Amino acid sequence: MAPILQVKNLHHRYSIGTPFEHVALQDVSFSVERGEFIGVIGHTGSGKSTLMQHLNGLLKPTSGEILLDGKDIWSDKKFTRQCRFRVGLVFQYPEYQLFEETVYKDIAFGPKNMGLPTEEIDRRVREAAGFVGITDAQLEMSPFDLSGGQKRRVAIAGVIAMEPEILILDEPTAGLDPEGREEILRNIESYRRAKNATIMMVSHAMADVAKIADRLLVMNQATLAMDGKPMDVFSRSQELLDMGLDIPEITRLFLKLQEKGIPVNPVYTMQQAVAELRRIREGKSHA
Amino acid sequence: MLKDITLGQFFPGNSAIHRMDPRTKLIALIVYIVALFSAGSWLSYGLVFAFLAGTIAISKIPVKAIVRGLKPLVIILVFTGLLNLLFTPGEKVLVAFWRITITLEGVVRAVLMMARILMLISGTFLLTYTTSPIGLTDGLESLLGPLKKIHVPVHELSMMMCIALRFIPTLIEETDKIISAQKARGADFENGKLLERVKALIPILVPLFISAFRRADELATAMECRCYQGGDGRTKMKLLRYKRNDLYAFVLLVLLLVAVIFAARLGL
Ligand SMILES: Nc1ncnc2c1ncn2[C@@H]1O[C@H](COP(=O)(O)OP(=O)(O)OP(=O)(O)O)[C@@H](O)[C@H]1O
Ligand SMILES: [Mg+2]
């Protein structure tokens, strides 16, 4: 099948023609297959958020193009608007965009803008609330009476309610405690499974992306530095460290073991580590 | 993008103008404006213009930046120009048809008035471009200091101004972000009838106000935690001090003012 999203030679410069002109993206190209879960990592200021805002037509490329299902998202106005619904973008700290009197109304904002009938809006709001674990009682509350983590989940539900084919989340777990982080990751996963959606997630928490993503994009100083399976990316640990990035604790430990000449395969999640250690122990006991 | 608004923005730099005492710059602006409004002849305008051009050159602020700042004023400029062009009585009629008469005096006046506005605004921009908000408020506070005697809360006023200036770019950035986020949920600000467009602002204004209040609250708490309690007995980290450059500037300013007034009197 053709890729759902293609990014070709994307360049972006901010504030062109002022003393503050700044290259935020430089010749970025990649494509996204239907149903993939892609993690996007990179140092602060490497252009991750800028890249994400191009994918649903919020920012216009300085040059280069973005194809959704093979069609340039800037080819006509109607299609650009459609892209906003087909590619849902949850911003960094989305809880600061809530504005309605009730949680229900806030989640309904997106579907309403799509011009859906009332019953369909109602169905979507309730379903989206279900995905993120917002109860019926909470739907009638003011969003400003919720806790930070709950507000975050309401904001995510606001985008999920548009039922985007591609759901993009910009650091959805930033500033939450481990419990809250886990919860959000589970919410995203359940949406993906239910709708067979494609997910792109920007994150600073290496352990999170390692666990959940099928593929990683690594941004470094406005360019796409790496694109590959988590294992391949994490095995280039020195390059990652040079970019100011971290690798999962457990990967680092296993790389150290390798250095010491112990024949382990590299791993990047705890489960893999356990399996790998088991394999070695059994291998040894046989010998 | 909203971000490209340059009004009141500070362009960091290290030119002689940047380093000048903010009080000097404030006084210079006042003298410059007085000179501009005393000017009435080509030569006097020329002098004021030369002063402005010289200052811009020394400050190393790109002319482009100043021109961009002037863009929002185009309507006012055109309006002023047209009014003066059409309604200045005079002898030397250039064009006359229907009820419209354009006189040579009208053309001259229109050009001079537009030049006056342009020079007025550029001069003001130059002050804000070369002076940090903190410098500006420090300067104001110091210049207005004598008013404390008659119980004007000079320090509080300048502190408020300083905070307001400081937060303009932050709020603009925030507005940009909120607009993008609501657009991502399909909000439409460009189409629809007037009422719909006004309604479309609600999803922007509510989060913006909430975050402005939140910021104000946090700032107030932070200031209180550091025992801020107003102007009395407060010392400054950067003391304002006049230097040699300031002296030169004052001499130049007096010369400019005298020359302009003379030139205008003599009608050169
Ligand atoms: N609206 C803007 N105007 C000008 N420059 C911007 C703007 N937004 C971002 N930049 C600049 O572009 C660069 C990339 O920013 P971006 O927000 O994409 O980084 P990021 O990778 O998302 O960083 P973070 O991890 O901190 O969120 C940064 O250097 C930033 O200063
Ligand atoms: Mg970002």
Side-chain angles (χ1 to χ4, degrees), chain A residues 149 153 172-173 176-185 187:
Chain A
R153 282 186 272 140
T173 57
L176 295 181
D177 57 35
E179 175 76 27
R181 285 215 303 263
E182 283 298 318
E183 174 106 35
I184 296 236
L185 293 181
N187 298 157

Side-chain angles (χ1 to χ4, degrees), chain A residues 44-45 47-50 53 92 170-171 202 204:
Chain A
T44 288
K48 304 180 297 290
S49 300
T50 307
Q53 286 175 56
Q92 230 162 339
D170 197 346
E171 299 196 31
V202 177
H204 276 285

Side-chain angles (χ1 to χ4, degrees), chain A residues 3-285:
Chain A
I4 185 164
L5 194 68
Q6 277 171 284
V7 175
K8 290 186 178 166
N9 307 97
L10 183 63
H11 290 255
H12 189 82
R13 273 182 290 157
Y14 278 114
S15 314
I16 294 178
T18 74
F20 305 103
E21 184 165 325
H22 183 91
V23 179
L25 289 177
Q26 180 123 33
D27 200 15
V28 173
S29 304
F30 62 92
S31 58
V32 179
E33 300 296 330
R34 218 170 279 275
E36 265 188 311
F37 195 127
I38 297 185
V40 182
I41 57 182
H43 198 256
T44 288
S46 56
K48 304 180 297 290
S49 300
T50 307
L51 177 61
M52 295 304 124
Q53 286 175 56
H54 276 90
L55 302 183
N56 72 341
L58 279 177
L59 287 177
K60 198 165 184 167
T62 306
S63 72
E65 52 184 8
I66 295 141
L67 309 179
L68 181 64
D69 265 341
K71 189 171 170 189
D72 187 344
I73 65 171
W74 287 99
S75 56
D76 70 81
K77 246 187 159 171
K78 247 188 172 164
F79 192 63
T80 312
R81 195 167 153 71
Q82 245 183 29
C83 288
R84 303 262 163 85
F85 302 127
R86 293 179 56 187
V87 183
L89 174 59
V90 179
F91 271 74
Q92 230 162 339
Y93 297 104
E95 55 272 30
Y96 295 134
Q97 307 137 25
L98 303 176
F99 69 96
E100 277 286 12
E101 295 152 64
T102 67
V103 170
Y104 183 95
K105 281 191 191 168
D106 210 290
I107 300 179
F109 182 65
K112 227 189 217 160
N113 286 330
M114 298 170 80
L116 297 170
T118 322
E119 310 85 70
E120 175 66 9
I121 294 178
D122 186 68
R123 181 190 70 73
R124 288 190 176 200
V125 171
R126 292 187 189 283
E127 196 184 31
F131 281 125
V132 298
I134 297 287
T135 63
D136 278 353
Q138 282 167 336
L139 279 180
E140 299 311 319
M141 284 169 71
S142 159
F144 304 108
D145 292 339
L146 300 175
S147 76
Q150 287 168 331
K151 277 188 207 166
R152 174 91 47 103
R153 282 186 272 140
V154 169
I156 294 176
V159 174
I160 283 182
M162 302 193 299
E163 301 196 346
E165 296 157 51
I166 305 179
L167 178 63
I168 303 178
L169 303 109
D170 197 346
E171 299 196 31
T173 57
L176 295 181
D177 57 35
E179 175 76 27
R181 285 215 303 263
E182 283 298 318
E183 174 106 35
I184 296 236
L185 293 181
R186 272 200 303 275
N187 298 157
I188 297 168
E189 193 56 45
S190 68
Y191 175 73
R192 164 157 112 129
R193 244 184 259 124
K195 301 287 167 190
N196 205 4
T198 309
I199 312 276
M200 292 185 78
M201 183 174 95
V202 177
S203 181
H204 276 285
M206 290 304 149
D208 287 356
V209 248
K211 198 162 45 190
I212 195 166
D214 310 321
R215 185 174 143 206
L216 291 183
L217 301 180
V218 183
M219 295 294 299
N220 185 36
Q221 292 178 359
T223 58
L224 179 60
M226 296 184 206
D227 173 358
K229 294 233 166 342
M231 198 60 260
D232 301 334
V233 169
F234 288 132
S235 64
R236 295 159 72 178
S237 57
Q238 194 51 49
E239 280 171 75
L240 288 173
L241 293 173
D242 289 345
M243 289 176 201
L245 291 174
D246 228 352
I247 54 177
E249 218 36 66
I250 194 75
T251 311
R252 196 185 307 216
L253 177 69
F254 270 60
L255 287 172
K256 278 246 167 75
L257 290 176
Q258 264 184 338
E259 258 171 50
K260 294 245 147 100
I262 299 169
V264 289
N265 293 318
V267 299
Y268 53 89
T269 67
M270 206 51 96
Q271 276 110 335
Q272 288 173 336
V274 171
E276 182 64 15
L277 287 178
R278 280 233 170 87
R279 186 187 67 79
I280 287 174
R281 197 174 58 185
E282 271 150 32
K284 276 206 173 135
S285 65

Side-chain angles (χ1 to χ4, degrees), chain B residues 75-97:
Chain B
I75 297 174
I76 298 178
L77 270 180
V78 170
F79 194 67
T80 315
L82 277 181
L83 275 187
N84 281 294
L85 194 63
L86 298 179
F87 298 110
T88 310
E91 333 250 88
K92 296 183 192 117
V93 176
L94 295 178
V95 183
F97 66 92

Side-chain angles (χ1 to χ4, degrees), chain A residues 96-97, chain B residues 174-183 203-204 207-208:
Chain A
Y96 295 134
Q97 307 137 25
Chain B
E174 188 118 349
T175 313
D176 251 347
K177 237 186 229 159
I178 295 172
I179 290 179
S180 302
Q182 306 299 24
K183 267 192 190 163
I204 301 172
L208 188 64

Side-chain angles (χ1 to χ4, degrees), chain B residues 121-138:
Chain B
I121 306 295
S122 313
T124 319
F125 273 172
L126 202 57
L127 175 70
T128 58
Y129 280 173
T130 58
T131 318
S132 71
I134 294 183
L136 210 57
T137 41
D138 267 1

